[in-house]
Amino acid sequence: MADVAAAAERLIRAYNAKDFETLEALIAPDLDFAHYNRDFAMNSREALLEVLRGFASTYAPDRHFEAPERVTVAGDIVVREAWYAGTAAIDLPGFGAAGEAFRFKFCSVMRFDDAGLLVEWKDHG
């Protein structure tokens, strides 16, 4: 079994760096993703990467996860508690007006397969 805490950290580092090639390599094609209080879900790596690319280029180019306050591992699941911060580049409901900084506490639940690919990602916050 893969070191899932390390896999989660690699994923977040790639996300923060806007390294979409690495993200693609770390995520299973049929990813089960949901961000519950932002009311969106998808079942495809390609769909998620499209959203992430748009967010990184248009909505909040400086968006990033901060260092986790806590990482909990149970089998193939990682629970990562961290702040998510950035600046809205445009008026972004639920985040802020253009030019306004945001900072939200996230709890990310990530499940990995035996090869270390992300197969499920649920965000709360």
Side-chain angles (χ1 to χ4, degrees), residues 4-58:
V4 294
E9 187 58 28
R10 278 192 304 277
L11 184 100
I12 295 300
R13 279 196 316 264
Y15 176 90
N16 284 349
K18 301 178 194 175
D19 182 349
F20 297 106
E21 283 184 27
T22 297
L23 280 173
E24 184 173 5
L26 296 173
I27 299 172
D30 57 348
L31 172 72
D32 176 11
F33 177 88
H35 193 149
Y36 289 111
N37 61 316
R38 302 281 173 210
D39 199 27
F40 71 91
M42 54 200 65
N43 291 309
S44 149
R45 172 183 63 204
E46 294 313 313
L48 177 61
L49 289 175
E50 182 179 331
V51 168
L52 296 182
R53 284 183 181 105
F55 207 80
S57 66
T58 305

Side-chain angles (χ1 to χ4, degrees), residues 30-117:
D30 57 348
L31 172 72
D32 176 11
F33 177 88
H35 193 149
Y36 289 111
N37 61 316
R38 302 281 173 210
D39 199 27
F40 71 91
M42 54 200 65
N43 291 309
S44 149
R45 172 183 63 204
E46 294 313 313
L48 177 61
L49 289 175
E50 182 179 331
V51 168
L52 296 182
R53 284 183 181 105
F55 207 80
S57 66
T58 305
Y59 301 115
D62 66 344
R63 88 293 174 272
H64 63 279
F65 284 97
E66 295 179 2
E69 292 183 359
R70 177 175 20 198
V71 175
T72 305
V73 176
D76 59 357
I77 295 174
V78 175
V79 178
R80 186 179 191 279
E81 298 173 58
W83 290 96
Y84 181 75
T87 308
I90 62 171
D91 290 345
L92 197 56
F95 288 84
E100 197 171 273
F102 60 83
R103 189 169 184 248
F104 303 112
K105 185 65 166 279
F106 271 26
C107 179
S108 299
V109 180
M110 302 174 176
R111 184 170 57 88
F112 295 85
D113 67 12
D114 288 342
L117 287 180

